[in-house]
Amino acid sequence: MLDLLAIMLERVGMIVAVAFILTRFQFFKKLVQHDKLEKKQALTAILFFGLFGIVGTYFGVALSTNTLHFNSVAAALTTDEAIANSRVIGVVVAGLLGGYRLGLGAGLIAGIHRMTLGGFTAFSCGISTIVAGLLAGAFYRKGKTLKPLTVFGIGALAETMQMSVILMISKPFEQAMTLVEVIGIPMILANGVGTALFLLIVHNVISEQEKVTALQAQKTLRIANQTLGHLRKGMNAETAQAVCDILYKELKPSAVAMTNRTDILAHVGIASDHHQVNSPIRTHETKAVIHYGELVVVNDGTIHCDFPGCRLGAAVIAPLIRRGETVGTLKLYYPSEKVITDVSIELISGLSLLLNTQLEIAETDHAYQLAKEAEIKALQAQINPHFLFNSMNIIVSLIRTNPNQARKLLTSLSYFLRQNVTGTTASKISLEQELSHVKAYMEIIEARFVDRLTIVYDVDDHLLAEQIPPFTLQPIVENAIHHGIKDMEKDSVITLRVHNCESEIEITVEDNGEGIVPERLALLGTMQVASEIGTGVGLFNINRRLRMTFGDQAALAIRSERNKGTAISFRIPKLEVGV
């Protein structure tokens, strides 16, 4: 018995290896994180764990109940043979991670295969494998992680159930009893340990990966927060130097550099004696990145600097792109290629995208200053830095406590910023795009108004393809937040309605806030009305743009009652009457 237990525990080494391999698959990460699998991913998981159960069968040992000798598992067993195996581990893990559907699917694959091998326990072992999948699925709880001791108990229980089925079904009973006496306890203990160890390793590895990702995200946001004020002034030697100083301090590479298309704008770290500001770009790889617009990793000794004895080793060079055109590069140098990990490459790639966004913001600010239609373009181009800083602080605070929520808010912020930049080039966008922009903004705002704000969308889906000037709805919603509900401690509601009105579309933004005093109500939208926290330019510009685009009939209509709320509505024509 002890010899068999040692053999079975030795097979657990295979379980450890498979567990590490599985952490690299996306479908398995979703299983562990209790996210819903797509149909194809679920079938992949069933097939994988079913095959894993089959491998567990072949990694077992065949026992002859007549001689009590152990042999390797063959393609077919004799009538006196049975298998001491770890088949149940894959099936139980499938049920615990994916519920009874995955457990049953994996159990069917591994169980039917076991029946084909023969032996006097073929049917009982096959049936018990299928039942083990259902049994494990009964312990599945979405969103909850089982403790290792509990998992051990479930694995041991599944194996105990298999021993009971063998005694009840397999004939002759004397052989079944002899088999259970020899392999029962070793298999119960080994498979219980194997199941617990499998899930423990998987959870620990994925948890460590998530911690690394969270730390990198936190570092990226911290860098973005520090560099935002500099690159909004544009990309020049002064702002590039400030950004390189920040990156050199935060990332600690051998050197950091930024270039435009022809010259070095800043270089911090080693080799600064010849990689000097305002001197021409010295490396062939940098010129290639500018030409092709793709990130490259430069291996040791291939920097190809034209200065003799340059000490720069390996490097990651990322393009800086503004409106689809490469305008420069961000370069981080390291002592050797071994120091450059996949995480480092992803971080630098993400940083370059953030810098790209900031460069586009800078260009948008410049366009605002030069635009002849200053009021309209200002509304489209301007991004409130306080909103950015508050949003970043919210996301940073959630990274450790709720990383999933932090990822969602970061995605919403990225979409909101992208729309603020790209929207300046369009005169009209679809109503669906405009609503997506509003929803991205509101997801960030809701994180600030925790349990205080309810957003209601009452939208006719048939109208989503209709056209509207960009940045029309978000400033109205923002106005409702800052002037309507900002002082409410609870039960604040903002409702956005989009309704069909024959040949027109009626859009309304309504809040249940403090309302507007009558003397101000008559002026809003017709002129800039100053207040303690605003200038009134937002509603004025929206009203002006709607009237210029669709005529006076599209002007804003504002209804308000003190301490009951405000509703701002307007009507715009459809693309085609009757659609």
Side-chain angles (χ1 to χ4, degrees), residues 3 48 63 76 226 337 425 435:
D3 291 341
F48 181 90
L63 170 68
Q226 295 178 64
E337 187 184 6
T425 62
L435 288 172

Side-chain angles (χ1 to χ4, degrees), residues 14-15 17-23 25 27-28 31 40-56 87 89-91 93-94 97 102 105-107 109-110 198 202:
M14 176 196 72
I15 308 302
V18 172
F20 274 109
I21 294 172
L22 277 175
T23 59
F25 290 97
F27 81 86
F28 193 75
L31 270 179
K40 184 178 180 181
Q41 290 176 323
L43 290 175
T44 301
I46 289 173
L47 181 62
F48 181 90
F49 284 112
L51 292 175
F52 184 43
I54 293 174
V55 171
R87 176 177 58 253
I89 294 178
V91 177
V93 169
L97 293 181
L102 261 64
I109 293 174
F198 186 102
V202 167

Side-chain angles (χ1 to χ4, degrees), residues 425-439:
T425 62
S427 59
K428 292 181 184 179
I429 60 175
S430 71
L431 188 57
E432 183 177 16
Q433 289 175 293
E434 181 71 357
L435 288 172
S436 296
H437 184 233
V438 172
K439 289 178 180 178

Side-chain angles (χ1 to χ4, degrees), residues 526-537:
T526 62
M527 61 182 296
Q528 298 183 23
V529 183
S531 66
E532 294 180 359
I533 59 172
T535 63
V537 68

Side-chain angles (χ1 to χ4, degrees), residues 1 7 65 89 115 143 153 201-202 223 242 265 280 290 355 366 426 561:
M1 184 181 295
I7 294 172
T65 54
I89 294 178
M115 293 180 188
I201 291 171
V202 167
I223 291 172
L265 295 179
I290 291 173
L355 297 180
H366 183 62
E561 189 173 348

Side-chain angles (χ1 to χ4, degrees), residues 474-495:
Q474 184 270 329
I476 299 177
V477 173
E478 184 177 1
N479 186 78
I481 292 170
H482 291 310
H483 297 281
I485 65 166
K486 66 182 179 66
D487 294 327
M488 295 180 66
E489 294 296 328
K490 61 180 181 178
D491 299 329
S492 54
V493 179
I494 292 179
T495 304

